[in-house]
């Protein structure tokens, strides 16, 4: 069972919200300028242009479905012992730290283990973190193309039995803007407050 998200921190929400309201006020009083991010800015990369995968509810999704929201994409698998649950817990806290603007965040979890990760299992896994998070499942035959389109590495590490293998995989997160363009890369281990600040800055820049 994955760990439950950490408790909602109202004080952090107020601090983050106040700082970005102030930033918005400054931007309104002068000429528009590009936001400054703590994550790696990869604006201009061509990721997820042809993304078309089934989510854990059975609905086929493309990036166009999430226009108007910031989207975070993370690759993992449900039997991951630490990196995946930690990353998803981090993203649940990011949403809390964003306050009211958390409604504009969509998290997408793409499995690198479609052989074991069925849609019902992915649905159950998502409920451990946030009911709005969606898991996407490529068919085994299309996984390589999907991973390559995001420059994601994955490799099956065999276990003592045919079904007890694990998956080595890249653990970074990609952040897309409200128009479906990839903008940021966040490394594994980045603090939730840092990711929340960057996404708020991105949303504020898109509002201008």
């Amino acid at each position: 069972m994955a760990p439950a998200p950490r408790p909602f921190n109202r004080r952090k929400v107020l601090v983050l919200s106040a700082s970005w309201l102030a930033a918005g006020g400054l931007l309104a009083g002068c000429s528009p300028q590009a936001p400054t991010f703590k994550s790696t800015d990869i604006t201009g990369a061509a990721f997820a242009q042809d993304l078309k995968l089934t989510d854990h509810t059975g609905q086929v999704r493309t990036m166009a479905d999430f226009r108007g929201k910031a989207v975070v994409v993370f690759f993992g698998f449900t039997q991951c012992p630490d990196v995946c649950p930690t990353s998803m817990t981090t993203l649940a806290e990011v949403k809390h730290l964003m306050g009211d603007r958390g409604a504009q965040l969509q998290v997408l979890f793409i499995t690198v283990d479609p052989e074991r990760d069925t849609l019902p299992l992915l649905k159950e896994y998502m409920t451990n973190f946030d009911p709005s998070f969606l898991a996407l499942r490529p068919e085994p035959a299309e996984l390589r193309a999907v991973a390559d389109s995001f420059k994601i590495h994955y490799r099956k590490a065999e276990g003592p039995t045919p079904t007890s293998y694990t998956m080595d995989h890249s653990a970074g997160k990609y952040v897309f803007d409200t128009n479906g363009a990839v903008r940021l890369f966040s490394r594994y281990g980045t603090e939730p407050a840092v990711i929340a600040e960057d996404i708020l800055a991105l949303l504020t820049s898109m509002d201008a």
Side-chain angles (χ1 to χ4, degrees), residues 37-109:
F37 302 113
K38 295 181 180 177
S39 301
T40 303
D41 191 333
I42 57 171
T43 299
F47 292 172
Q49 300 301 304
D50 301 314
L51 185 71
K52 187 176 183 181
L53 295 173
T54 302
D55 72 18
H56 66 251
T57 71
Q59 183 174 346
V60 176
R61 297 286 193 171
T62 68
M63 290 301 293
D65 293 328
F66 310 112
R67 290 293 171 91
K69 293 187 176 184
V71 177
V72 179
V73 176
F74 175 77
F75 282 75
F77 64 113
T78 63
Q79 296 190 45
C80 177
D82 42 33
V83 171
C84 301
T86 298
S87 296
M88 297 302 290
T89 298
T90 292
L91 292 173
E93 186 165 352
V94 167
K95 182 179 177 180
H96 286 314
L97 291 175
M98 290 175 62
D100 290 343
R101 299 213 76 167
Q104 285 183 269
L105 176 66
Q106 178 62 62
V107 172
L108 301 179
F109 175 96

Side-chain angles (χ1 to χ4, degrees), residues 184-203:
L184 303 172
F185 175 78
S186 176
R187 297 182 183 279
Y188 173 70
T190 303
E191 288 294 319
V194 172
I195 301 173
E197 287 179 15
D198 278 348
I199 295 176
L200 286 168
L202 181 59
L203 288 172

Side-chain angles (χ1 to χ4, degrees), residues 16 30 55 58 87 101 105 144 158 174 176 183 185 204:
L16 287 173
C30 61
D55 72 18
S87 296
R101 299 213 76 167
L105 176 66
R144 174 58 64 189
E158 300 294 346
Y174 291 102
F176 291 74
R183 300 293 301 277
F185 175 78
T204 298

